[in-house]
């Protein structure tokens, strides 16, 4: 009886095992691939993206995100428009200009405002007579890359201050040489994203330099935003929303624990100096969480402020068409307001 009972039980177990789904043998759910382009090289400025990647926040949203270095905040737009990248980080004024040349549905839109204020600045040498007054730039030589958003936005500052747009002379220099020409004294100053200038601050004392922030001239521009292609927005809005949730979560954590964010970034770029990048992020977060961010939360914009920026870009650059703000900035996939509220 015992033997018959054992055989019967064994047969039943075998049938049950065959009937049951082999969970252990199933393939993992397929992740949606997203190619994301940075605006520039890997630094503390973009540490939240690497924190989200290293902590698996993108995978939690069903995404396989690849992050590549960029070649400027303007170039990100063309990379996404070409279809090679689905998302990226790029300058919203340049996006306005790009859309003014297009017809029909925008092929690239901003979906999350990363820099709530553009960190545009000119850094000048005090020993060359440059102060925090923009008028002290008159007759000076200022280095900038040929296609660079801080340089391109200068006419807006000139217009606001009612000074000539050719107040000083431009010296076209690539990004990699900018610090060198300032330190050597080949030029009197250079354009920077304020947080990018940390590399210069490591080579010259702060009290030797004047920082002329565009915001101090009353130029309130939104800066780099997270961009997405129209194809991605229309075909897989859930993936875009998931990317924004994961990134927003990482931005919040980067503000509360900057060291962890920089450590995650260093995993990708081991040569980074953690102390330098922590200082860079300290400046970056000032522009990510600007004063009015407390009203609408991270990632969003005030419609009226963006309308004024569109008007300014169209007017200063003499554009023939005026893009609508709804086409420039698509807030439909933003994380919930509670998730975007500043924690401190």
């Amino acid at each position: 009886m015992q033997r018959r009972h054992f055989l019967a039980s064994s047969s039943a177990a075998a049938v049950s095992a065959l009937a049951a789904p082999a969970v252990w043998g199933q393939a993992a759910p397929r992740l949606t691939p997203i190619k994301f382009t940075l605006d520039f090289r890997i630094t503390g400025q973009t540490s939240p993206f690497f924190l989200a990647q290293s902590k698996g926040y993108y995978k939690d949203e069903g995404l396989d995100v690849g992050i590549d270095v960029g070649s400027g905040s303007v170039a990100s737009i063309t990379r996404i428009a070409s279809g090679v990248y689905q998302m990226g980080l790029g300058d919203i004024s340049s996006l306005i200009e790009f859309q003014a040349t297009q017809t029909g549905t925008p092929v690239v839109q901003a979906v999350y405002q990363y820099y709530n204020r553009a960190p545009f600045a000119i850094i000048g040498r005090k020993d060359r007579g440059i102060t925090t007054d923009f008028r002290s730039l008159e007759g000076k030589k200022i280095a900038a890359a040929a296609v660079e958003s801080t340089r391109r936005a200068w006419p807006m500052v000139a217009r606001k201050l009612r000074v000539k747009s050719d107040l000083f002379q431009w010296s076209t220099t690539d990004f990699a040489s900018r610090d060198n020409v300032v330190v050597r004294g080949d030029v009197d100053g250079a354009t920077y994203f304020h947080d990018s200038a940390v590399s210069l601050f490591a080579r010259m004392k702060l009290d030797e330099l004047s920082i002329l922030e565009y915001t101090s001239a009353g130029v309130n521009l939104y800066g780099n935003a997270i961009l997405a292609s129209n194809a991605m927005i229309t075909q897989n809005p859930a993936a875009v929303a998931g990317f924004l949730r994961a990134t927003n979560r990482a931005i919040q954590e980067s503000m509360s624990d900057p060291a962890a964010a920089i450590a995650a970034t260093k995993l990708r770029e081991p040569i980074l100096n953690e102390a330098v990048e922590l200082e860079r992020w300290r400046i970056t977060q000032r522009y990510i969480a600007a004063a009015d961010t407390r009203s609408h939360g991270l990632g969003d914009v005030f419609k009226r402020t963006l309308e004024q920026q569109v008007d300014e870009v169209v007017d200063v650059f003499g554009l023939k068409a005026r893009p609508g703000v709804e086409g420039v900035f698509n807030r439909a996939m933003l994380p919930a307001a509670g998730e975007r509220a500043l924690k401190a």
Side-chain angles (χ1 to χ4, degrees):
M1 288 291 292
Q2 289 179 344
R3 177 177 172 78
R4 285 197 298 272
H5 177 73
F6 172 77
L7 290 173
S9 298
S10 298
S11 298
V15 171
S16 176
L18 289 171
V23 175
W24 53 270
Q26 289 180 351
R30 185 175 180 276
L31 300 176
T32 300
I34 293 179
K35 287 191 67 177
F36 182 88
T37 176
L38 296 174
D39 55 334
F40 198 39
R41 61 177 182 261
I42 297 168
T43 70
Q45 291 162 288
T46 50
S47 57
F49 299 100
F50 296 101
L51 183 67
Q53 192 175 54
S54 68
K55 284 199 166 187
Y57 294 164
Y58 292 130
K59 285 189 177 179
D60 290 346
E61 296 286 352
L63 307 175
D64 178 15
V65 176
I67 304 174
D68 291 342
V69 297
S71 56
S73 55
V74 179
S76 296
I77 299 167
T78 54
R79 281 185 170 189
I80 297 168
S82 72
V84 175
Y85 289 85
Q86 291 78 49
M87 299 185 72
L89 195 62
D91 177 51
I92 203 164
S93 289
S94 299
L95 178 64
I96 293 166
E97 188 177 3
F98 175 81
Q99 286 194 3
T101 66
Q102 308 293 306
T103 57
T105 303
V107 296
V108 181
Q109 288 184 296
V111 291
Y112 185 105
Q113 191 59 49
Y114 189 69
Y115 282 111
N116 188 262
R117 282 296 178 271
F120 300 160
I122 293 175
I123 314 293
R125 294 179 56 130
K126 288 183 178 178
D127 63 356
R128 299 294 179 84
I130 297 177
T131 69
T132 53
D133 183 347
F134 281 92
R135 292 170 180 81
S136 68
L137 296 172
E138 186 170 8
K140 300 297 190 290
K141 191 174 182 180
I142 304 299
V147 181
E148 191 255 339
S149 50
T150 308
R151 175 175 180 166
R152 291 181 57 74
W154 162 250
M156 299 182 197
V157 179
R159 180 177 178 175
K160 191 78 174 178
L161 297 177
R162 298 186 180 184
V163 299
K164 298 177 294 182
S165 60
D166 61 351
L167 183 69
F168 52 81
Q169 177 188 348
W170 289 112
S171 174
T172 300
T173 312
D174 62 47
F175 289 111
S177 303
R178 185 170 47 182
D179 290 354
N180 292 334
V181 295
V182 175
V183 172
R184 288 198 306 260
D186 298 343
V187 296
D188 304 303
T191 60
Y192 284 91
F193 274 25
H194 188 178
D195 40 11
S196 294
V198 170
S199 56
L200 177 64
F201 301 157
R203 298 177 62 183
M204 293 185 69
K205 295 178 181 178
L206 271 174
D207 61 10
E208 297 176 328
L209 300 166
S210 294
I211 302 172
L212 296 89
E213 299 179 49
Y214 284 18
T215 54
S216 68
V219 177
N220 292 318
L221 301 173
Y222 291 116
N224 281 7
I226 296 176
L227 312 176
S229 67
N230 178 63
M232 194 70 184
I233 291 170
T234 56
Q235 296 170 18
N236 202 341
V240 177
F243 181 93
L244 299 183
R245 277 194 301 272
T247 303
N248 181 80
R249 179 182 177 186
I251 291 172
Q252 294 278 23
E253 290 185 14
S254 297
M255 289 181 173
S256 60
D257 188 1
I262 300 304
T265 310
K266 193 173 171 64
L267 290 174
R268 172 67 183 269
E269 193 65 77
I271 65 171
L272 293 179
N273 180 310
E274 291 188 46
V276 170
E277 299 310 321
L278 278 168
E279 175 61 17
R280 194 190 306 275
W281 172 251
R282 185 189 68 78
I283 298 172
T284 298
Q285 68 178 21
R286 282 177 43 198
Y287 292 93
I288 290 176
D292 58 4
T293 310
R294 296 196 175 277
S295 300
H296 54 58
L298 296 165
D300 205 353
V301 298
F302 280 129
K303 182 179 179 182
R304 181 60 189 144
T305 303
L306 184 56
E307 285 175 339
Q308 290 171 342
Q309 185 165 346
V310 171
D311 290 341
E312 189 81 1
V313 171
V314 169
D315 198 17
V316 167
F317 294 117
L319 305 180
K320 295 181 179 179
R322 183 192 184 281
V325 293
E326 294 80 7
V328 172
F329 190 87
N330 186 336
R331 60 167 40 87
M333 290 148 289
L334 284 173
E339 296 175 29
R340 295 184 293 101
L342 289 177
K343 305 302 182 187

